[in-house]
């Protein structure tokens, strides 16, 4: 029995119209197998030439009226029409995505048989593939994905909250680990490194072995001396015009502040002298500032001279006192070439609290020239730094050697997976941390050029890998776009998971070669996917808004054709990412 379902009545570049045969039952028996035309998402075929056959996917079915004959008084009858989008073609029995030869009107259309479908989806490299789920309407196909093509490309896993993203990530990793454990090959653990940034602390217990959990707020400290200017910009978030130059000088002053060999009293005396001579406005405020600096110098003779510094009028009571004050300052100043010293100073520090001292020195350095507006203009940056110190001085930015070693274990260990719990980091701090970590991995790989690979999964990526048009400074110092463009040749692969793809960096999203797309309802997000994903058509974009939970559209270089797959859970465990059942929470169970 043939699998004939109809014939072509029109052909467009993006769709083909088919008049279905008159039948109330599209059930078939072909070569001992049973088939049923279910409708939307079914695959169908058209024989073009003896060596060319097209694969189509049904996207819509509807009825229209057709005249029974050509006369003006002809009666009409209802016919069933199916629209199908071109998917790919076989040439000499070899299947490829995309169509080069379109079928002609009048050609017969057949339901795709199991042999044809199997030739597309069953990987030739079974040993190096992982079982992922069941293809919708083709449950008899055990769909597998090739490990090499899946994990040697950037990937985006997107979908609204509750659509199944977290489950997909867990199943991908579980499938990979199980496959590696079951393999007869010896695993080189030094070369495998999967790292997952866990934003909601929901991946802490989904595996039994082969992974480690590191809490970013409790278990690790960052080596501050490894932070470069770009890292500090991502952390402090200064404004470009005023605060950025102050931040640059602050880091240099902070480095000098930590240098035990540097004569800080000499610098402070120089600033006091410059303030006294150059600043002529607001004498009372000027005096308060000078007294405050002199107290830091803590020279008894200098402090005694300040007794003659008039509190009310902000000047000395007599010329001799003023002369003695200036001479004492000159004696304390051992070097007048501080401009050169600051320019040549490094911008590396070891203690986060030194940055606060560095900012104060940088502000005084500007105020000594009469710039009285610099401090008010830097209030927001000062507040930001104070908050950072208060929040992280005893954890993320502590000097604890053991915690610094724990940080290095994230990217240098022999566990297959490292889950980094970043749930206690604010979005701005998370963005800094992810940038800093990724930058270190990238620089290490460029330096060592070893065989180690990094597959880094960023959960809720829209929170810190975002299209930030409001801050060109932090955008220009984002490492994500650089890795998206250059990372693959160094063995660094990104997986970004997000419920708001419209907010993701367009550059990063456009560099993804594989897409796993769960349910998405937002028109803005759908439009962004349409622009950044060349692998799917208009029908599949529209289909995303009504996908059931746990089902995803897969498209990209790892998938020969775009397809809809129901992700299969191989082990039923408590899902930490699942939404709570409100009825179970609200009501107590009554004992009977």
């Amino acid at each position: 029995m043939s699998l004939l379902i109809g014939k072509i009545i029109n052909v467009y570049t993006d769709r083909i119209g088919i008049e279905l045969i008159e039948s109330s039952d599209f059930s078939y028996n072909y070569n001992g197998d049973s088939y049923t035309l279910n409708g939307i998402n079914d695959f169908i075929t058209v024989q073009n030439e003896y060596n060319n056959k097209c694969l189509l996917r049904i996207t819509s079915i509807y009825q229209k009226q057709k005249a029974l004959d050509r006369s003006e008084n002809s009666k009409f009858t209802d016919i069933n029409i199916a629209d199908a989008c071109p998917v790919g073609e076989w040439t000499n029995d070899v299947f490829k995505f995309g169509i080069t030869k379109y079928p002609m009107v009048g050609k017969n259309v057949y339901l795709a048989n199991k042999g044809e479908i199997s030739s597309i989806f069953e990987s030739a490299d079974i040993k190096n593939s992982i079982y992922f789920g069941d293809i919708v309407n083709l449950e008899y196909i055990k769909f597998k994905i090739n490990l090499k093509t899946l994990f040697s490309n950037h990937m985006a896993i997107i979908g609204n909250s509750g659509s199944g993203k977290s489950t997909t990530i867990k199943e991908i990793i579980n499938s990979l680990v199980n496959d590696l454990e079951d393999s007869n090959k010896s695993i080189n653990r030094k070369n495998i490194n999967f790292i997952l940034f866990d934003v909601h602390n929901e991946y802490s217990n989904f595996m039994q072995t082969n992974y480690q959990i590191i809490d970013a707020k409790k278990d690790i400290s960052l080596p501050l001396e490894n932070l470069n200017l770009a890292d500090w910009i991502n952390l402090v978030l200064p404004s470009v015009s005023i605060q950025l130059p102050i931040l640059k000088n602050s880091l240099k002053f902070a480095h000098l502040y930590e240098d035990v060999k540097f004569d800080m009293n000499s610098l402070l005396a120089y600033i006091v002298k410059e303030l006294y001579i150059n600043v002529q406005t607001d004498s009372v405020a000027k005096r308060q500032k000078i007294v405050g600096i002199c107290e830091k110098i803590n020279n008894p003779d200098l402090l005694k001279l300040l007794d003659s510094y008039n509190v009310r009028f902000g000047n000395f009571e007599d010329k001799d006192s003023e002369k003695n004050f200036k001479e004492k300052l000159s004696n304390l100043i051992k070097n007048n070439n501080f401009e050169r010293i600051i320019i040549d100073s490094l911008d590396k520090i070891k203690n986060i609290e030194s940055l606060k001292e560095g900012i104060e020195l940088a502000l005084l350095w500007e105020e000594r020239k009469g710039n009285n507006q610099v401090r008010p203009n830097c209030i927001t940056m000062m507040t930001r730094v104070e908050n950072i110190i208060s929040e992280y001085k005893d954890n993320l930015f502590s000097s604890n050697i053991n915690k610094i070693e724990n940080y290095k274990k994230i990217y240098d260990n022999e566990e297959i997976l490292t889950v980094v719990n970043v749930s206690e980091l604010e979005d701005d701090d998370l963005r800094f941390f992810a940038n800093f970590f990724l930058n270190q991995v990238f620089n290490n790989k460029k330096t060592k050029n070893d065989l180690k690979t990094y597959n880094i999964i960023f959960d809720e990526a829209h929170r810190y890998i975002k299209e930030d048009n409001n801050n060109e400074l932090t955008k220009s110092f984002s490492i994500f776009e650089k890795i998206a463009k250059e990372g693959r040749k160094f063995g660094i692969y990104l997986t970004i998971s997000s419920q708001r793809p419209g907010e993701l960096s367009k550059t990063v999203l456009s560099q993804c070669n594989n897409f796993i797309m769960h349910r998405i309802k937002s028109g803005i997000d759908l439009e962004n996917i349409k622009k950044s994903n060349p692998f799917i058509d208009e029908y599949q974009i529209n289909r995303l808004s009504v996908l059931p939970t746990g089902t995803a559209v897969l498209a990209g270089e790892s998938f020969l054709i775009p397809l809809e797959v129901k992700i299969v859970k191989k082990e039923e465990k408590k899902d930490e990412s699942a939404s709570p059942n409100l009825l179970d929470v609200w009501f107590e169970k009554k004992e009977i």
Side-chain angles (χ1 to χ4, degrees):
M1 180 179 178
S2 169
L3 294 175
L4 178 70
I5 64 167
K7 64 178 181 178
I8 295 175
I9 56 175
N10 53 58
V11 178
Y12 302 93
T13 55
D14 61 338
R15 71 183 189 279
I16 293 173
I18 302 155
E19 181 180 341
L20 299 178
I21 60 176
E22 293 184 16
S23 176
S24 59
D25 183 14
F26 284 91
S27 296
Y28 304 85
N29 189 289
Y30 180 76
N31 287 343
D33 292 318
S34 298
Y35 296 86
T36 301
L37 177 65
N38 297 304
I40 290 177
N41 267 340
D42 275 349
F43 290 103
I44 54 180
T45 63
V46 182
Q47 186 74 43
N48 249 351
E49 302 169 0
Y50 73 94
N51 66 340
N52 182 274
K53 182 165 53 178
C54 296
L55 179 71
L56 314 174
R57 181 194 284 109
I58 295 177
T59 59
S60 64
I61 296 178
Y62 54 93
Q63 283 190 332
K64 64 182 291 187
Q65 290 189 323
K66 177 182 179 182
L68 292 175
D69 55 52
R70 296 184 178 181
S71 66
E72 292 183 2
N73 298 323
S74 173
K75 293 183 179 180
F76 288 83
T77 185
D78 291 329
I79 60 171
N80 295 322
I81 303 294
D83 284 338
C85 65
V87 176
E89 63 186 3
W90 289 270
T91 302
N92 295 325
D93 295 327
V94 177
F95 182 85
K96 290 185 178 181
F97 176 66
I99 284 185
T100 57
K101 298 179 181 179
Y102 282 81
M104 285 295 294
V105 170
K107 285 280 189 179
N108 287 337
V109 181
Y110 301 86
L111 193 61
N113 63 55
K114 292 184 179 181
E116 292 166 331
I117 296 298
S118 297
S119 70
I120 300 171
F121 295 121
E122 289 186 353
S123 171
D125 190 5
I126 297 297
K127 292 183 179 180
N128 293 311
S129 299
I130 56 174
Y131 173 56
F132 195 73
D134 297 329
I135 302 171
V136 174
N137 291 349
L138 297 173
E139 285 76 10
Y140 58 87
I141 297 291
K142 293 300 179 185
F143 176 59
K144 292 190 173 184
I145 306 176
N146 183 269
L147 288 174
K148 179 180 178 181
T149 59
L150 183 65
F151 294 118
S152 62
N153 288 289
H154 301 318
M155 178 163 53
I157 302 174
I158 52 183
N160 292 154
S161 178
S163 61
K165 296 188 308 302
S166 299
T167 298
T168 296
I169 292 172
K170 293 173 183 177
E171 291 306 314
I172 288 176
I173 295 174
N174 266 324
S175 297
L176 169 68
V177 172
N178 291 337
D179 183 81
L180 292 174
E181 288 180 337
D182 294 342
S183 172
N184 292 325
K185 297 180 181 179
S186 177
I187 302 173
N188 190 340
R189 294 178 177 274
K190 292 183 179 180
N191 290 342
I192 303 174
N193 205 333
F194 279 76
I195 301 164
L196 194 160
F197 277 59
D198 184 1
V199 174
H200 296 302
N201 193 22
E202 58 184 303
Y203 296 94
S204 57
N205 61 358
F206 76 100
M207 288 173 56
Q208 300 298 324
T209 58
N210 292 306
Y211 82 115
Q212 63 174 344
I213 299 173
I214 292 179
D215 191 310
K217 188 82 176 284
K218 300 174 182 176
D219 299 333
I220 65 173
S221 292
L222 304 184
L224 278 178
E225 62 270 21
N226 290 351
L227 268 67
N228 56 32
L229 180 60
D231 297 319
W232 285 111
I233 289 172
N234 283 323
L235 176 62
V236 178
L237 305 174
S239 64
V240 178
S241 56
I242 297 175
Q243 295 178 359
L244 179 57
I246 297 299
L247 175 62
K248 290 179 179 178
N249 271 350
S250 298
L251 291 167
K252 292 177 179 291
F253 278 115
H255 179 79
L256 294 174
Y257 177 80
E258 291 183 343
D259 186 355
V260 294
K261 296 181 180 180
F262 179 72
D263 189 349
M264 184 57 65
N265 282 346
S266 178
L267 173 63
L268 293 174
Y270 178 81
I271 292 174
V272 169
K273 187 174 181 180
E274 291 280 293
L275 274 171
Y276 185 78
I277 295 171
N278 297 331
V279 178
Q280 304 301 328
T281 59
D282 198 352
S283 57
V284 175
K286 168 183 165 181
R287 180 191 181 279
Q288 290 176 338
K289 197 165 294 181
I290 287 174
V291 170
I293 301 172
C294 288
E295 288 175 348
K296 290 184 178 180
I297 297 175
N298 196 24
N299 182 288
D301 294 335
L302 183 64
L303 293 174
K304 188 174 182 180
L305 288 170
L306 290 176
D307 292 339
S308 302
Y309 200 170
N310 194 290
V311 177
R312 183 175 180 184
F313 300 106
N315 55 23
F316 282 88
E317 296 173 352
D318 57 78
K319 291 184 178 180
D320 288 341
S321 296
E322 183 180 41
K323 181 183 176 182
N324 293 335
F325 178 69
K326 289 181 179 179
E327 287 180 352
K328 186 61 181 176
L329 289 173
S330 297
N331 292 333
L332 288 170
I333 298 170
K334 307 299 183 184
N335 190 331
N336 284 310
N337 195 20
F338 286 109
E339 294 276 3
R340 185 76 259 167
I341 291 173
I342 294 165
I343 291 172
D344 294 340
S345 175
L346 299 176
D347 58 3
K348 304 295 184 183
I349 64 175
K350 298 178 181 179
N351 191 315
I352 189 65
E353 293 184 271
S354 298
L355 181 58
K356 184 178 179 180
E357 299 294 336
I359 291 175
E360 180 60 27
L361 288 169
L363 294 175
L364 290 172
W365 188 254
E366 289 298 314
E367 289 170 336
R368 92 192 200 284
K369 298 182 289 188
N371 185 355
N372 294 321
Q373 295 302 311
V374 64
R375 192 175 294 269
N377 289 332
C378 289
I379 287 293
T380 54
M381 183 177 74
M382 295 164 66
T383 303
R384 168 75 177 152
V385 169
E386 287 174 358
N387 289 338
I388 290 169
I389 293 172
S390 173
E391 185 72 20
Y392 299 117
K393 68 176 180 178
D394 296 324
N395 41 71
L396 195 61
F397 294 130
S398 77
S399 302
N400 187 301
I401 300 299
N402 292 330
K403 287 189 174 183
I404 292 175
E405 289 302 314
N406 283 342
Y407 165 73
K408 295 176 182 178
K409 289 179 183 178
I410 298 177
Y411 56 86
D412 189 10
N413 64 80
E414 294 189 9
E415 297 291 352
I416 294 175
L417 171 68
T418 298
V419 177
V420 185
N421 177 13
V422 292
S423 59
E424 292 190 44
L425 300 185
E426 298 294 332
D427 285 2
D428 288 336
D429 305 330
L430 177 55
R431 177 174 180 154
F432 152 76
F433 177 72
N435 265 279
F436 174 73
F437 171 77
L438 201 54
N439 206 19
Q440 284 223 296
V441 170
F442 187 52
N443 290 333
N444 286 342
K445 281 294 295 178
K446 286 195 298 183
T447 303
K448 293 181 179 179
N449 195 26
D450 55 16
L451 297 176
K452 192 178 187 69
T453 62
Y454 293 92
N455 290 80
I456 308 175
I457 304 166
F458 293 102
D459 190 28
E460 301 291 359
H462 57 277
R463 289 175 52 180
Y464 49 104
I465 313 178
K466 53 188 176 183
E467 187 69 16
D468 192 356
N469 295 320
N470 296 323
N471 195 333
E472 287 298 321
L473 183 61
T474 54
K475 183 177 180 180
S476 65
F477 286 113
S478 173
I479 188 65
F480 294 106
E481 296 185 358
K482 188 174 185 178
I483 295 292
K485 295 174 183 176
E486 305 175 25
R488 278 170 288 194
K489 62 185 177 184
F490 294 103
I492 304 173
Y493 311 102
L494 306 181
T495 296
I496 54 175
S497 172
S498 173
Q499 58 181 284
R500 294 303 307 271
E503 297 179 8
L504 287 168
S505 164
K506 292 181 175 60
T507 300
V508 174
L509 195 60
S510 67
Q511 293 296 314
C512 290
N513 303 88
N514 292 318
F515 291 82
I516 299 177
M517 296 161 285
H518 289 271
R519 182 175 59 251
I520 298 172
K521 291 186 175 294
S522 167
I524 296 175
D525 292 332
L526 291 171
E527 186 63 26
N528 204 45
I529 293 171
K530 183 179 179 181
K531 290 178 180 178
S532 59
N533 189 337
F535 302 102
I536 59 175
D537 53 38
E538 188 77 26
Y539 157 73
Q540 288 165 317
I541 292 289
N542 296 332
R543 173 74 179 140
L544 292 177
S545 62
V546 292
L547 285 178
T549 298
T551 299
V553 173
L554 280 57
E557 294 187 5
S558 292
F559 319 108
L560 200 53
I561 64 173
L563 63 154
E564 197 170 306
V565 172
K566 181 175 176 57
I567 312 299
V568 175
K569 289 185 180 182
K570 284 169 280 302
E571 290 185 27
E572 291 297 329
K573 299 177 182 177
K574 182 182 178 182
D575 189 354
E576 300 293 340
S577 63
S579 300
N581 186 325
L582 290 183
L583 296 184
D584 289 343
V585 174
W586 289 349
F587 299 105
E588 296 180 354
K589 293 182 179 180
K590 292 184 178 180
E591 296 182 2
I592 301 175

